[in-house]
Amino acid sequence: MKWLDTLLISVALSKSVVSIDPHDVLEQFKEEYRIKNSVQYDYLVPSEAEIKGDTFFHDYFPYYKTASPKMKNENNSGYMLEIPDSESIFLDYEDIDLYGKIDFKFPYGPLKLDHSIVNKTVNEHIDELNNLIEIENNSEAARILADINLFGLYNTAIDVKQAEALYLRIVNELPNVSAEIEGHAHFMLGVIYSTGVFGNFEKDPAKGLIHYRFAADLNNIQAQMTLAHKYMFAVNVVENYSEAIYYFSLIKERIEGKIGSSMLNVQKTPSTIVEEMIFSYNLNKFDVSWCDFEDGIFGPATQALDTLRYFETFDDYEKIKQMGTGSLGDDDYVADEDETLNAYSLLYFETQKHYNGDYLNARNYDMAFKFANLCVSNGLLEPDVAQSLKNVEKLNQAKEEFKDSSSGFKFEISFGEDLSPLDLFVGRCAQYLGHMYLRGEGTEVNYDLAKHYIDIGKNLAGNKPFLSDNGIINYYGLGMEADKKKALEIYEDGIKYASPRYYKALHLIDEFETQLKTENPDIIPEKIITMLSTASPYNMLAKRKLIQLYEEGRYTTEEKSISGVYNSYVKLLDHLYFDFKLPFYSFINSKPENDDNKIWTGLVSLAIASEIGYANAQQSLGVILWPTLGKFASKKYRYSDDIYSTVFTAQRFKEAISYLEISAKHYNRDSINYLGDLYYNGLYPSYTEQIQTDPLYNRPWWQYVLPLSSVEEEEKSWLLPKLISLFETIDKIISPLKLTLRSIGLLRNSSTYTNEIAIVPRDVKKAISYYYDASTLGSHLGSYNVGWAYEFGIGVAQDLNLAKRYYELSLERSNLGYLAVKFAILRLELKAYVWSLIGCDGRGIREINHDGKTWKERFTMIISMFGNPNFD
Ligand SMILES: *[C@@H]1O[C@H](CO)[C@@H](O)[C@H](O)[C@H]1NC(C)=O
Ligand SMILES: *[C@@H]1O[C@H](CO)[C@@H](O)[C@H](O)[C@H]1NC(C)=O
Ligand SMILES: *[C@@H]1O[C@H](CO)[C@@H](O)[C@H](O)[C@H]1NC(C)=O
Ligand SMILES: *[C@@H]1O[C@H](CO)[C@@H](O)[C@H](O)[C@H]1NC(C)=O
Ligand SMILES: *[C@@H]1O[C@H](CO)[C@@H](O)[C@H](O)[C@H]1NC(C)=O
Ligand SMILES: *[C@@H]1O[C@H](CO)[C@@H](O)[C@H](O)[C@H]1NC(C)=O
């Protein structure tokens, strides 16, 4: 026996000598998963190297495919571009149609959150990882296995408890663990305790914070983000902007080390050379709010912010193609007949498509460069384009001469009508080409060529889409003598856009520094700060500059306001903290009816992103868990026996509220209104119970018309009892109608439930305070709801004047609900009239100097018109 043991151990050991790399095991996992699971959507990447990410989370993404050159085969149809002295290029119709797709459907509804009981799948690769941990104390294997267990990746069993055990083992037991892995394990433990992973653990934010702090001390960037977010938005801790700024500045320091590609040594003054970030870099944003794919929670116009990226599709070019033909809006014109124009529009389309990528295609600068080059080199040979170019150059020259003659008279060259669609397509290709030469994308940096093509592009098609390229070249003197005056003119031209405004502010700072005449040479003048702040919401560099000036002590502002700038700046670079493709692709590929793990993977990913501070993730989770969108939006699913007990559990709604509440702290108006609705409606075991607590349900309908106070006080008024009895009579007449209306509701017995029932008591006061917050943030929906509350005295003292003010506010903010709001205002006016008849002011309070007599006479007259015998 002893002998056998030794043999077993030595076999095990010799296996470990061959030592497998845990990363290879992971690659096999992904490979096999890809082969076994055909998914609806792949992420097309130019080469495998491109998908290597910045975090451990980027190791796991399995839904990518390497793009291969398109070949025409018998099955696909498309365009064949015949290019003289070059290979022909085939462009698939389907690729063209699919570009910019954003109509992904999210499977709101029956998602299972209870994964506490699972059957462990025995998998060869899991065994390999386990062996590495047991035999070699391999912490990398432990990290990978723990993550796989938590996310339920590659359809292995989801096992949150096992994940916790492994993370604990990394931080407590395994020897020789690198700081990165230990930091990661602490961060993940923080997530587990802080969120409870959808009810798999008791939530313990205090314990979570301890792990986040350990992780942050180990320089774990996710934990630093999490702590900054928590301190800034007072999540589980007391609000403390200094703490937030401390963590944000650590992160900003790290970002500085990563943005090398757009840094350049520039000659600021004859004696100083500084390193400057000359342009912002391209971001692939997968951090979306899932409601936006459904046009937002309350429709597109109420969104605080649309989180979806915009993509220029081939269809967008139809308008351009009709330009200059005099056939704009002419249905008879068939642009498709112009083959040359179509070819160039396609070349331009392919250029911008590959340059910008979309949700299904990674950026591919090599291809973008190739198409831009084809488009420009051939385009310049087109006689029409060459002619236009010559004309514009002549015009420009004339303009220069005119200016030099210092007549003071400026004349503008208007392109407008002369601009031909062909010029536009070729010109825009040239701008892309110049842009890529400037930035070294798909090619080596070449400032001379950049300038050459940017000039051509400008002459043919104006400045868009790259407003500042020309200015940057002139300003920094790239491939030429710097010409700051020219640069300034260019910025001045586009000053209403963020990027030229940023560069102009930079210029002003330089000027300010060389003059040094003010009393306070270190403090940047207010005017420049204003330019930067107004550019900063749309411009990454402006945000960075503001932070830089703040850190140098040259710009002083409130901690609260600079935390906001830090927050929006560091959040832009989301790939440094998380792989947002993971939840994105898990959701768009999921098939909940197959009970696969993808939904779970997506939810856990979003929970992590929401800890890191991404408000879109928080809002998405809230709305996913409490669906009011998609197929399961209807309330009836919440009262339906079969899925109620297993899917719409109490836990689920509790989680939804907690994520929505964090999201609301980010001033997201939709989330705030959503919470308002949620507390206004409450959640009850049955529809009957829900409706019975409705503040407007149990009242006789005529109470909607009369002041609540007078009805409740049963004041002795000569008129009120008469009115009430009139209304009661009417009520009786129409009561059969009302009964049928009410029985349409889903009446059901609550006694049939065996599971824990989700009950969120209606809390109108809380609801109104959310609506009020939303209204303060400029939401027309919020304003309308506050108006409604004042009109009927729900959660607030009834006040018709205030109600009217809020209704009008709603109308000022958006005329989307024009009819509804107008009707409400009309109703109010009628009501105010009725109230004044019975001697009440807008708050339902009896006016002292009310002249009852005259009114009585008038009113009797009105009443007698009813001809009702019940009136004496
Ligand atoms: C064309 O489609 C058929 C059936 O869909 C398939 O069997 C065939 O392999 C395809 N041909 C090519 C060249 O892809
Ligand atoms: C889990 O295993 C138990 C017993 O081993 C079995 O009865 C049950 O059906 C399994 N559940 C699933 C979902 O496979
Ligand atoms: C693994 O770690 C344990 C406890 O720290 C230690 O006793 C053991 O020798 C280690 N094994 C190897 C192969 O390093
Ligand atoms: C610790 O890890 C490093 C790198 O992973 C390795 O080179 C070293 O041999 C390890 N030391 C021990 C005692 O295992
Ligand atoms: C914020 O945190 C700092 C550092 O921990 C502390 O000195 C300061 O008192 C805190 N401020 C508030 C308002 O709690
Ligand atoms: C509700 O339950 C009661 C008693 O259990 C039963 O008599 C009644 O029919 C039920 N009503 C409905 C709508 O199921």
Side-chain angles (χ1 to χ4, degrees):
M1 269 307 153
K2 190 93 187 127
W3 175 81
L4 195 62
D5 276 357
T6 336
L7 187 70
L8 277 178
I9 288 169
S10 69
V11 166
L13 281 179
S14 68
K15 204 171 156 192
S16 74
V17 171
V18 191
S19 198
I20 337 159
D21 185 341
H23 294 107
D24 293 342
V25 182
L26 185 58
E27 287 311 315
Q28 282 165 22
F29 250 128
K30 285 200 270 190
E31 192 59 35
E32 284 167 24
Y33 182 74
R34 276 199 291 268
I35 292 166
K36 269 193 248 158
N37 292 270
S38 69
V39 290
Q40 195 177 355
Y41 299 112
D42 284 311
Y43 188 52
L44 223 53
V45 294
S47 70
E48 307 258 345
E50 285 279 316
I51 65 137
K52 282 265 171 276
D54 305 71
T55 72
F56 284 146
F57 298 106
H58 286 81
D59 288 350
Y60 302 116
F61 183 63
Y63 310 105
Y64 60 85
K65 216 180 194 172
T66 312
S68 48
K70 276 279 166 190
M71 299 289 180
K72 177 163 174 37
N73 67 37
E74 60 197 77
N75 290 352
N76 52 6
S77 49
Y79 298 103
M80 188 63 92
L81 272 177
E82 314 274 357
I83 297 161
D85 306 326
S86 172
E87 57 188 318
S88 313
I89 297 172
F90 175 69
L91 305 167
D92 199 323
Y93 282 148
E94 201 176 286
D95 289 350
I96 293 167
D97 287 345
L98 269 184
Y99 179 73
K101 179 183 169 68
I102 49 166
D103 60 341
F104 304 110
K105 284 278 164 271
F106 184 86
Y108 294 96
L111 336 166
K112 283 191 189 147
L113 291 188
D114 182 12
H115 287 281
S116 49
I117 306 153
V118 287
N119 289 3
K120 190 99 193 139
T121 40
V122 182
N123 182 302
E124 189 190 330
H125 298 318
I126 287 193
D127 289 347
E128 280 170 341
L129 291 175
N130 266 322
N131 279 342
L132 282 171
I133 301 166
E134 299 307 329
I135 298 166
E136 291 183 19
N137 291 334
N138 189 317
S139 56
E140 187 71 0
R143 185 269 293 178
I144 291 173
L145 187 55
D147 289 350
I148 288 179
N149 275 323
L150 183 68
F151 287 101
L153 291 165
Y154 319 123
N155 274 344
T156 58
I158 296 157
D159 194 339
V160 185
K161 294 280 188 306
Q162 174 74 9
E164 181 207 20
L166 281 168
Y167 292 129
L168 281 173
R169 198 154 161 202
I170 291 172
V171 302
N172 292 333
E173 283 170 34
L174 293 182
N176 199 20
V177 178
S178 72
E180 285 84 30
I181 293 180
E182 194 179 345
H184 177 79
H186 271 302
F187 170 71
M188 294 306 277
L189 286 167
V191 172
I192 287 176
Y193 299 133
S194 189
T195 68
V197 201
F198 304 104
N200 281 280
F201 291 87
E202 198 63 45
K203 272 197 176 91
D204 189 347
K207 197 167 163 192
L209 272 178
I210 294 172
H211 285 283
Y212 284 141
R213 290 227 171 78
F214 275 131
D217 289 345
L218 289 163
N219 214 13
N220 175 281
I221 198 165
Q222 288 86 7
Q224 291 168 348
M225 279 294 275
T226 304
L227 289 171
H229 169 250
K230 287 194 189 279
Y231 279 113
M232 181 171 169
F233 293 98
V235 182
N236 307 334
V237 292
V238 179
E239 177 184 273
N240 189 328
Y241 291 113
S242 322
E243 287 272 357
I245 290 172
Y246 167 72
Y247 286 112
F248 278 139
S249 62
L250 289 181
I251 297 156
K252 192 229 157 203
E253 251 344 275
R254 291 220 352 225
I255 292 174
E256 288 297 297
K258 301 212 178 221
I259 50 183
S261 68
S262 49
M263 299 295 266
L264 196 74
N265 286 324
V266 291
Q267 187 101 28
K268 273 281 173 182
T269 64
S271 58
T272 50
I273 291 181
V274 294
E275 197 175 50
E276 203 154 278
M277 188 173 174
I278 61 168
F279 45 75
S280 48
Y281 67 96
N282 301 328
L283 300 161
N284 306 312
K285 212 176 139 299
F286 281 89
D287 159 39
V288 296
S289 181
W290 279 92
C291 339
D292 288 346
F293 287 111
E294 305 270 347
D295 277 347
I297 304 180
F298 301 107
T302 62
Q303 275 162 187
L305 201 68
D306 187 345
T307 65
L308 302 189
R309 278 155 76 195
Y310 165 74
F311 302 103
E312 203 177 55
T313 67
F314 192 61
D315 286 344
D316 293 336
Y317 302 145
E318 285 310 311
K319 277 241 164 60
I320 298 180
K321 285 186 196 166
Q322 293 180 24
M323 270 169 49
T325 61
S327 56
L328 205 58
D330 180 355
D331 290 341
D332 294 338
Y333 174 74
V334 188
D336 277 348
E337 280 168 9
D338 188 339
E339 283 193 359
T340 310
L341 186 57
N342 272 337
Y344 283 99
S345 67
L346 270 171
L347 285 172
Y348 171 60
F349 168 71
E350 292 288 325
T351 301
Q352 71 88 25
K353 168 186 156 174
H354 285 111
Y355 187 83
N356 296 305
D358 71 352
Y359 288 127
L360 300 177
N361 300 276
R363 294 174 197 269
N364 188 339
Y365 296 135
D366 292 342
M367 291 293 273
F369 183 78
K370 176 181 152 184
F371 280 108
N373 213 0
L374 273 176
C375 174
V376 176
S377 55
N378 287 286
L380 293 181
L381 300 176
E382 298 286 343
D384 288 352
V385 175
Q387 189 57 46
S388 303
L389 213 49
K390 240 183 241 153
N391 291 346
V392 175
E393 271 157 17
K394 247 186 252 160
L395 270 173
N396 280 347
Q397 214 172 354
K399 193 179 168 190
E400 285 300 314
E401 280 162 14
F402 219 83
K403 214 164 38 182
D404 288 344
S405 72
S406 66
S407 66
F409 174 72
K410 263 180 97 180
F411 82 97
E412 292 288 324
I413 305 162
S414 148
F415 292 100
E417 281 148 38
D418 313 332
L419 205 62
S420 89
L422 189 61
D423 291 348
L424 241 166
F425 288 124
V426 176
R428 286 202 185 170
C429 285
Q431 279 175 346
Y432 270 94
L433 195 58
H435 193 66
M436 285 184 276
Y437 273 122
L438 175 64
R439 298 161 66 113
E441 288 159 342
T443 178
E444 294 286 306
V445 172
N446 186 328
Y447 294 132
D448 293 331
L449 287 176
K451 180 163 170 32
H452 176 66
Y453 287 115
I454 288 170
D455 280 344
I456 291 178
K458 182 180 183 331
N459 285 339
L460 287 176
N463 272 333
K464 280 183 187 172
F466 305 117
L467 281 170
S468 300
D469 278 1
N470 210 1
I472 295 173
I473 288 183
N474 279 288
Y475 187 72
Y476 292 109
L478 306 176
M480 59 177 283
E481 268 301 297
D483 184 347
K484 301 211 167 180
K485 201 163 142 263
K486 178 96 183 288
L488 208 58
E489 269 173 33
I490 294 166
Y491 300 149
E492 211 42 78
D493 251 9
I495 201 70
K496 65 174 192 247
Y497 296 100
S499 116
R501 204 168 334 142
Y502 159 73
Y503 287 109
K504 180 167 179 202
L506 265 198
H507 178 82
L508 293 180
I509 293 175
D510 285 354
E511 262 184 355
F512 172 72
E513 272 164 5
T514 46
Q515 287 167 359
L516 283 190
K517 277 177 195 138
T518 27
E519 289 166 20
N520 250 335
D522 282 340
I523 303 297
I524 301 293
E526 191 59 37
K527 185 182 129 200
I528 300 178
I529 295 294
T530 309
M531 287 186 84
L532 284 176
S533 329
T534 50
S536 80
Y538 315 97
N539 187 281
M540 172 197 239
L541 296 180
K543 295 182 212 275
R544 177 171 170 272
K545 193 75 197 172
L546 278 176
I547 293 169
Q548 202 180 350
L549 294 174
Y550 177 83
E551 289 184 349
E552 288 167 0
R554 309 181 61 197
Y555 159 46
T556 45
T557 183
E558 281 173 30
E559 285 189 326
K560 180 175 179 179
S561 107
I562 197 72
S563 326
V565 183
Y566 268 112
N567 183 43
S568 64
Y569 174 62
V570 300
K571 289 255 169 74
L572 281 179
L573 296 116
D574 56 25
H575 57 98
L576 297 180
Y577 327 109
F578 197 63
D579 187 358
F580 281 90
K581 290 195 297 305
L582 207 55
F584 191 92
Y585 273 83
S586 300
F587 286 140
I588 65 175
N589 280 323
S590 67
K591 295 190 190 72
E593 64 275 17
N594 294 359
D595 207 20
D596 63 15
N597 284 356
K598 294 194 191 79
I599 288 274
W600 174 260
T601 307
L603 291 176
V604 173
S605 308
L606 286 190
I608 294 172
S610 116
E611 283 296 283
I612 296 174
Y614 281 88
N616 293 336
Q618 296 157 359
Q619 185 183 50
S620 297
L621 276 177
V623 179
I624 289 166
L625 296 174
W626 193 306
T628 57
L629 292 172
K631 191 174 143 202
F632 290 88
S634 165
K635 281 194 185 116
K636 78 172 183 231
Y637 289 104
R638 268 168 249 160
Y639 306 118
S640 144
D641 240 350
D642 39 338
I643 59 173
Y644 187 82
S645 53
T646 52
V647 177
F648 291 108
T649 58
Q651 181 63 40
R652 176 169 172 161
F653 292 116
K654 233 188 283 170
E655 295 287 325
I657 291 180
S658 77
Y659 285 109
L660 283 168
E661 277 174 348
I662 302 177
S663 152
K665 291 190 176 194
H666 291 252
Y667 313 109
N668 184 307
R669 301 188 305 225
D670 279 3
S671 288
I672 297 172
N673 276 321
Y674 199 84
L675 275 167
D677 286 356
L678 192 154
Y679 280 114
Y680 189 91
N681 292 318
L683 187 66
Y684 292 90
S686 72
Y687 188 75
T688 333
E689 276 171 69
Q690 196 213 357
I691 196 92
Q692 267 162 7
T693 58
D694 189 322
L696 288 184
Y697 175 76
N698 278 328
R699 294 189 205 163
W701 67 273
W702 43 265
Q703 290 203 17
Y704 302 143
V705 184
L706 298 178
L708 284 183
S709 53
S710 62
V711 176
E712 276 154 15
E713 285 164 21
E714 287 176 38
E715 234 182 303
K716 290 241 178 323
S717 149
W718 61 269
L719 181 58
L720 211 55
K722 289 180 189 164
L723 266 182
I724 289 176
S725 95
L726 162 68
F727 285 136
E728 271 170 353
T729 314
I730 299 175
D731 210 13
K732 251 180 238 144
I733 298 167
I734 66 166
S735 60
L737 176 70
K738 265 170 45 189
L739 273 183
T740 47
L741 281 177
R742 278 178 195 164
S743 61
I744 291 171
L746 290 155
L747 300 172
R748 49 166 301 117
N749 274 348
S750 57
S751 53
T752 50
Y753 296 108
T754 48
N755 282 39
E756 191 196 346
I757 302 286
I759 295 178
V760 179
R762 192 191 289 278
D763 187 341
V764 286
K765 280 222 161 59
K766 211 164 175 176
I768 305 304
S769 96
Y770 276 119
Y771 291 142
Y772 185 79
D773 286 350
S775 171
T776 310
L777 291 172
S779 156
H780 70 95
L781 217 60
S783 311
Y784 179 82
N785 287 335
V786 175
W788 172 271
Y790 276 118
E791 182 182 346
F792 294 106
I794 301 165
V796 290
Q798 199 173 22
D799 189 331
L800 296 189
N801 294 323
L802 275 177
K804 186 154 178 251
R805 204 176 301 162
Y806 275 99
Y807 284 143
E808 279 166 355
L809 196 59
S810 170
L811 215 54
E812 270 169 37
R813 284 171 171 164
S814 157
N815 55 8
L816 212 80
Y818 186 81
L819 276 183
V821 184
K822 269 287 180 207
F823 176 68
I825 293 174
L826 192 70
R827 186 176 63 214
L828 267 185
E829 280 164 356
L830 278 175
K831 218 186 253 192
Y833 177 70
V834 172
W835 290 19
S836 74
L837 290 183
I838 56 171
C840 290
D841 69 3
R843 285 169 297 163
I845 295 170
R846 189 158 294 279
E847 282 166 347
I848 297 164
N849 296 329
H850 183 68
D851 183 0
K853 205 156 193 182
T854 12
W855 280 114
K856 177 175 175 166
E857 284 160 9
R858 271 210 220 170
F859 213 70
T860 320
M861 214 169 70
I862 297 170
I863 288 169
S864 63
M865 278 165 51
F866 284 94
N868 190 318
N870 286 341
F871 279 99
D872 49 35

